[in-house]
Amino acid sequence: MQSKPSRTTFRDRLEEMVHSLRTEIVTGKWQGGDFLPSIQQLGKQYALSINSVQKGLDQLVAESLIERLPRIGIRIKERTEHAVITITIGYYPSLNSDADFTSLIELFQIKYPHIHVQTIPLQYENYYETTSYYLNNEIVDVLAINQINFQQYVEQHDNLGEIFEPISAASSIYPYLPSLFQQNNQLYAQPFIFSPVILCYNKKQLQEQQMPEPSHDWTWAQFMVFIHELERKDPTKLAFYFYPATNNRWPIFLLQSGINFQNDKSERADFSDSAVIDSIQTCYDLIHRHNLFSNLLMSENDINVEQLFAEQKVSIMMTTYFNLNKTQHIDFPFDIAPLPYVHTPRTLLLSIGFAANRKSKQKEAAKAFISFMASYEAMLHVRQRTYSIPAHMQAAEWEGEERAYRPQQFELYRQISHTFASLSDLHLKQDESKQLLNIMNRYWMGIEEKETLIARLKNDLGVY
């Protein structure tokens, strides 16, 4: 007797078919050597088109649960061929707060009981050296990788297809994300979560001081007038705080210069151009407007910006949706706003994706893991339980009852997507980036004058 689909949407019917067949195979209802019903029968049973059934069966083939025999049918593989296997995931520990990663792994293993997941934490420091060793020695099957670490691999390898398994972009992801993980137009990491760099402000403190909320179109000069007035009214707090000496912050000011940085060295923009100097000077002015602020920023240890914000010692901070996850315990209202700009509105687009090791012996299981992490189910979990933005558009834009406080302007990222830029837009190699930061740091710390800064930008970086 034909069973009716228990859910009504196409996506749910497809997931129901795959889940039901997978469960029946793993639990032994279907034995090795048995043949599944025909594609046409499965289509009628689950109210799916032939192409949709094929797509679902492709997933089970990838999991090594079934095999296609041309002109014969679809056969269940012997249990010894789909016994429990283990894959190892190299991940950033921050994913536990950024994406509730531990719970996602549990959901994956419920759906894929024949795949056991092990995890290895990765550190941002020496990421490339460590992960290269893990990949080459087949220690990891899947690697979490952000756009900065991905560019390290691009810089070191002409053909990433020798390192990572080429993949296709998942459906329904935001169109500006794949380019962060591509080489020669080929995708090597599936986008998972993302965030622009933004402002976050304490609504209560601004209201108490009868100050307006940050504008969506301020320049940094206008913003500095605002924070000066805020600190005049309440000198016991820092009006604004950020940590500039990180690759997720200082490049923003250069991107906001409006200079078109070119790949071709002969056409490269002049880093001593007045617009670039304006950007470096803006960062200098933000740092030096308060001596305590200056000393904190130039120290060796990064003071936790979000911690100071949570303690209400800072009224406005430069942060990300990722780092907002550290504020979930606070008991005062806050909201977000776009970054002010120097000459051109720009902000950094940050993202984390998953890549499969080309040398993995469990490649199909690794692909199944990445596919699950890109699924609507996993992405919706991220949206409902964190402030991080899922790469899946439909999940990110889900509307329903919120589990906890959410900023009123949470969907700001959709309004400012035209301002997104990446570190790769500067076309700086890793050693050049470090050299540039060193030059700027010497100026920001007051060790060198502006004239020396300009001379070093011209001579040390070899720009034209």
Side-chain angles (χ1 to χ4, degrees), residues 47-195:
L48 292 168
S49 68
I50 290 176
N51 286 340
S52 297
V53 173
Q54 292 274 23
K55 182 178 179 181
L57 295 177
D58 285 344
Q59 190 171 338
L60 297 177
V61 170
E63 297 170 29
S64 297
L65 293 176
I66 63 175
E67 59 183 344
R68 284 193 174 92
L69 301 178
R71 296 187 297 277
I72 298 177
I74 303 162
R75 186 170 64 185
I76 310 299
K77 283 193 171 184
E78 296 295 335
R79 290 188 61 82
T80 55
E81 298 181 63
H82 57 78
V84 174
I85 59 176
T86 298
I87 58 172
T88 302
I89 316 297
Y91 77 107
Y92 302 110
S94 61
L95 281 176
N96 288 324
S97 61
D98 292 346
D100 195 20
F101 193 52
T102 301
S103 296
L104 285 177
I105 291 176
E106 292 173 356
L107 290 174
F108 171 78
Q109 293 194 148
I110 291 172
K111 193 167 186 176
Y112 297 82
H114 65 292
I115 303 177
H116 175 67
V117 175
Q118 294 182 163
T119 58
I120 296 180
L122 304 171
Q123 302 303 320
Y124 292 104
E125 187 175 357
N126 299 321
Y127 176 94
Y128 175 77
E129 293 77 12
T130 301
T131 56
S132 292
Y133 176 82
Y134 287 167
L135 291 167
N136 289 330
N137 290 278
E138 302 175 33
I139 295 173
V140 296
D141 302 287
V142 175
L143 198 63
I145 188 166
N146 64 28
Q147 78 291 339
I148 293 177
N149 294 143
F150 184 82
Q151 286 305 313
Q152 288 180 294
Y153 272 94
V154 170
E155 186 176 324
Q156 296 295 325
H157 300 275
D158 293 330
N159 181 14
L160 285 182
E162 298 174 352
I163 309 295
F164 302 121
E165 186 72 12
I167 55 178
S168 299
S171 60
S172 301
I173 68 171
Y174 285 98
Y176 40 76
L177 295 177
S179 62
L180 299 176
F181 301 107
Q182 288 179 339
Q183 184 188 58
N184 300 324
N185 296 318
Q186 174 60 58
L187 188 68
Y188 289 103
Q190 190 69 255
F192 176 51
I193 55 177
F194 72 97
S195 171

Side-chain angles (χ1 to χ4, degrees), residues 204-312:
K204 178 173 175 287
Q205 288 182 349
L206 296 187
Q207 290 169 357
E208 289 174 347
Q209 302 305 323
Q210 297 183 322
M211 298 289 287
E213 297 186 5
S215 169
H216 280 214
D217 59 356
W218 273 348
T219 64
W220 283 110
Q222 293 169 319
F223 179 71
M224 279 188 271
V225 172
F226 173 83
I227 57 178
H228 176 76
E229 177 63 14
L230 183 58
E231 285 186 336
R232 186 190 67 80
K233 290 186 173 185
D234 186 1
T236 65
K237 299 181 179 64
L238 284 173
F240 174 64
Y241 186 81
F242 80 114
Y243 184 71
T246 166
N247 285 334
N248 288 341
R249 298 295 183 270
W250 67 260
I252 294 169
F253 296 92
L254 292 182
L255 291 165
Q256 291 183 348
S257 69
I259 295 294
N260 182 22
F261 297 93
Q262 299 292 324
N263 245 334
D264 186 348
K265 190 86 169 180
S266 64
E267 298 179 6
R268 200 171 191 177
D270 185 353
F271 272 71
S272 63
D273 182 278
S274 61
V276 177
I277 298 301
D278 285 347
S279 298
I280 297 174
Q281 183 65 41
T282 296
C283 191
Y284 176 93
D285 292 340
L286 285 167
I287 293 168
H288 285 272
R289 63 182 180 77
H290 196 299
N291 288 333
L292 173 62
F293 190 31
S294 175
N295 292 335
L296 286 172
L297 288 172
M298 293 300 113
S299 66
E300 288 297 320
N301 297 316
D302 179 5
I303 303 297
N304 190 308
V305 180
E306 288 72 26
Q307 180 181 340
L308 292 177
F309 182 79
E311 294 172 357
Q312 301 196 65

